[in-house]
Amino acid sequence: MPRLKEKTLKKLAFSIAFIGIIVLYLISSNIDYTITSIDKITKENVGEKVKVRGMVSQVYGDNTTIIKIEQPSTLDVVVFDKIDIKEGDYIEVIGDVEEYNDGVEVIAKRVRVIG
Amino acid sequence: MFIEILIAVFLGIFAGIITGLTPGIHVNLVSVLLYTLSGFLLGFANPLSLAVFIIAMSVTHTFLDSIPSIFLGAPDPDMALSVLPGHRLLLEGKGFEAVKLTVIGSLLALVATVGLIPILLPLVPLIYSTVQPFMGYILLFVVVYMILIEKKLVKIVYSVILFILTGVLGLITINWPNLQQPLFPLLSGLFGTSTLLLSIGQTSKLPKQSCSETIKIKKSITFKAISAAVFSGSLTGIFPGLGAAQASIIGMNLVGDIKDYGFMILIGGINTVNFTFSLATLYALEKARNGAVVVVSQLLSVGRIELVVLLCAGLIAGGVATYLALGISKVAATLITKINYKVLVISIISLITLLTLVLSGIVGLMILIVSTAAGMIAPLVGVKRSHAMGCLMLPVILFFML
């Protein structure tokens, strides 16, 4: 009957923990954000990642969806895809701040309906 | 951020050592406490770090909770069924091996689950909507099958009586108003104190515990046990009301006879999969299936990156907890034989009684006494003790069917 050595188990455990640490390190640069209010997002934040929550006041676009969210200040969110969002949805957006038409908008990496 | 998260992982592991080794303290308790303090903690920690702490604590807990279950006969609700073969192995001088088997189950099942999550994630909503209307019938089928394999009519009748008796006890306990931690006296009595009381009469001294470097186990048994653990463990992560204990029953009956060794791997695996997969369910269905994950869902919304971070925290905790479980159980195996067995058993029963009084009060004590008596029925009439899982199976079956 095959024997499972404790050494083998420990080596496996070490490898798993090591892989976990490496993957965590690699993605940690993508997780550095906190929830921001829209009125705090200015041109100074261009290039930064933000997380914003707000009510959808307008949705339009075909292959690219433009969402206006309100907090009550409004913000344009651009999604380079068709997504299932409607007016009145309360959403959370994570994305990058970009300059647009003398203002700012967020190019979304992730949009989730939370209410 | 990486350093903050890593610190949260190691703090979580430390907390998991305490919850895993202490009977009666569950990760849900600590998670709720953490949430109560979150207003203060969020002043200097990111919500993701708090969530990582909870995950690391919970995964560590699932690796270590077999130790009190096997060495003390004082199980966590999720490890209730492990007392039976675990105690048997302890009495054979293989307590350390029993723990090692659950650790093997936990580690391999953790890796398998994390590896399968990307494939299973899109299927979760489909599985949930397809199977959920039939879940009650599936569980009923499993129960009937378990009873019928007793074969002899007398044993079948005893099994039905035991199932219904413990089922009613479970219904009363779970629905008792204002009763804190109802599962602790219920399951400790059915599977812990009853086992211990019966063993006092049979055993005067624990044999020397072997801490062998190797375990002899067929690869086919390990594979069956891990597959069953991943399958039935993920069901608990998807469906409400289905816990690790019920999943053990399903898993046990899926794979046939895998002997005590295979069963310990299965139990260890289910426990860990139950928790890990509930993170996937939180992401896919936005539903939380256990107390700790409920708290995580309150702290932050789990998107793809958060899911990956939390799974990484689980992997790191699992790797470290393997070393911890093996080390601590070696110490336990050495110490336990130095103590007079009867004194040890009486001390453990006293500890369980005291914890019951502290956690659940006088009502809890009554439940402990009744469930201890009920827990003795199976070995005395010669049927499988797992029928006493009616305490959790019957309420869950009724939940799905009514």
Side-chain angles (χ1 to χ4, degrees):
Chain A
M1 205 182 296
R3 292 166 190 259
L4 177 61
K5 288 185 184 169
E6 196 172 307
K7 245 189 258 179
T8 312
L9 190 60
K10 284 180 175 173
K11 278 184 194 164
L12 179 63
F14 180 81
S15 312
I16 287 163
F18 186 71
I19 290 169
I21 291 173
I22 296 295
V23 174
L24 193 62
Y25 178 73
L26 291 173
I27 62 168
S28 59
S29 57
N30 287 322
I31 55 178
D32 208 351
Y33 48 76
T34 50
I35 296 173
T36 315
S37 11
I38 291 174
D39 52 11
K40 287 192 177 140
I41 302 175
T42 65
K43 285 184 194 174
E44 285 174 9
N45 303 113
V46 169
E48 288 176 14
K49 284 185 179 44
V50 289
K51 180 192 270 193
V52 192
R53 289 180 175 177
M55 186 82 72
V56 176
S57 58
Q58 206 176 350
V59 185
Y60 54 93
D62 292 318
N63 295 322
T64 299
T65 312
I66 313 291
I67 309 166
K68 275 197 184 320
I69 59 171
E70 273 188 28
Q71 262 190 358
S73 327
T74 54
L75 177 73
D76 281 352
V77 173
V78 179
V79 185
F80 292 119
D81 204 349
K82 263 187 102 160
I83 57 169
D84 186 19
I85 296 278
K86 56 187 188 302
E87 286 170 31
D89 283 344
Y90 188 68
I91 63 172
E92 179 184 87
V93 176
I94 292 171
D96 300 316
V97 180
E98 298 283 341
E99 195 170 345
Y100 182 73
N101 277 354
D102 209 32
V104 290
E105 65 181 13
V106 169
I107 309 297
K109 283 192 166 23
R110 193 188 85 210
V111 178
R112 279 166 77 82
V113 177
I114 51 177
Chain B
M1 192 67 183
F2 169 68
I3 299 295
E4 183 180 322
I5 290 189
L6 210 56
I7 290 171
V9 170
F10 283 99
L11 285 174
I13 290 171
F14 180 71
I17 294 171
I18 298 170
T19 64
L21 294 180
T22 312
I25 299 184
H26 202 262
V27 289
N28 291 348
L29 261 175
V30 181
S31 304
V32 166
L33 184 66
L34 187 87
Y35 186 66
T36 317
L37 297 170
S38 61
F40 165 71
L41 292 167
L42 287 170
F44 49 86
N46 197 285
L48 186 56
S49 304
L50 296 187
V52 158
F53 172 90
I54 291 173
I55 301 310
M57 171 180 62
S58 303
V59 169
T60 305
H61 181 103
T62 66
F63 275 70
L64 295 181
D65 63 359
S66 59
I67 295 174
S69 177
I70 289 161
F71 284 102
L72 301 181
D76 219 39
D78 297 336
M79 291 297 286
L81 282 175
S82 76
V83 178
L84 318 167
H87 197 71
R88 205 159 38 235
L89 288 168
L90 179 72
L91 295 176
E92 290 173 18
K94 293 178 182 172
F96 172 69
E97 273 195 12
V99 172
K100 199 191 279 189
L101 289 162
T102 64
V103 170
I104 291 168
S106 290
L107 190 66
L108 294 180
L110 176 67
V111 172
T113 307
V114 171
L116 287 171
I117 276 176
I119 303 164
L120 293 175
L121 259 181
L123 298 174
V124 167
L126 180 65
I127 294 168
Y128 180 73
S129 56
T130 311
V131 177
Q132 212 255 356
F134 305 102
M135 200 67 222
Y137 298 100
I138 294 169
L139 289 172
L140 191 61
F141 174 78
V142 169
V143 167
V144 169
Y145 173 75
M146 263 171 52
I147 289 173
L148 289 176
I149 58 172
E150 291 285 356
K151 289 185 187 146
K152 286 187 181 167
L153 183 62
V154 162
K155 286 192 176 183
I156 288 174
V157 169
Y158 276 133
S159 303
V160 171
I161 293 170
L162 181 59
F163 181 83
I164 294 172
L165 196 69
T166 52
V168 169
L169 179 61
L171 279 167
I172 294 170
T173 304
I174 291 164
N175 291 301
W176 196 286
N178 304 316
L179 179 62
Q180 304 295 318
Q181 300 289 321
L183 293 186
F184 181 73
L186 180 66
L187 295 171
S188 296
L190 283 171
F191 300 102
T193 48
S194 53
T195 309
L196 292 170
L197 279 170
L198 284 170
S199 73
I200 287 183
Q202 293 155 10
T203 314
S204 56
K205 196 177 184 308
L206 278 177
K208 187 169 184 295
Q209 301 293 307
S210 80
C211 292
S212 55
E213 162 69 12
T214 58
I215 286 187
K216 282 188 209 169
I217 183 149
K218 283 187 186 169
K219 279 185 188 164
S220 58
I221 287 188
T222 307
F223 179 77
K224 275 187 194 175
I226 297 295
S227 309
V230 172
F231 176 76
S232 41
S234 38
L235 289 181
T236 70
I238 298 174
F239 297 101
L242 206 62
Q246 294 95 334
S248 315
I249 301 288
I250 296 172
M252 239 166 74
N253 290 288
L254 267 176
V255 291
D257 186 15
I258 48 174
K259 307 275 189 286
D260 282 352
Y261 276 31
F263 185 73
M264 295 307 287
I265 294 176
L266 171 70
I267 285 273
I270 283 177
N271 219 356
T272 306
V273 172
N274 168 26
F275 185 77
T276 314
F277 204 82
S278 60
L279 291 174
T281 306
L282 181 63
Y283 173 79
L285 298 177
E286 293 180 36
K287 290 180 195 300
R289 291 292 177 242
N290 60 62
V293 174
V294 165
V295 174
V296 169
S297 68
Q298 298 295 313
L299 286 169
L300 78 168
S301 62
V302 175
R304 197 176 302 168
I305 288 189
E306 287 85 356
L307 180 62
V308 174
V309 169
L310 295 175
L311 290 176
C312 285
L315 289 176
I316 298 167
V320 173
T322 298
Y323 283 86
L324 288 170
L326 293 173
I328 294 171
S329 58
K330 265 186 193 152
V331 171
T334 313
L335 288 177
I336 205 150
T337 49
K338 294 185 174 158
I339 307 168
N340 178 286
Y341 185 67
K342 279 194 173 115
V343 169
L344 177 68
V345 166
I346 292 167
S347 307
I348 295 163
I349 293 173
S350 308
L351 174 67
I352 293 173
T353 309
L354 184 64
L355 278 172
T356 299
L357 269 170
V358 167
L359 296 171
S360 315
I362 294 290
V363 175
L365 187 63
M366 277 169 23
I367 291 166
L368 180 67
I369 293 168
V370 172
S371 58
T372 300
M376 290 187 178
I377 295 174
L380 291 173
V381 305
V383 298
K384 287 195 184 54
R385 288 183 95 132
S386 47
H387 298 304
M389 280 306 294
C391 63
L392 293 183
M393 294 291 279
L394 186 60
V396 169
I397 289 170
L398 292 175
F399 169 79
F400 279 107
M401 289 176 102
L402 296 177

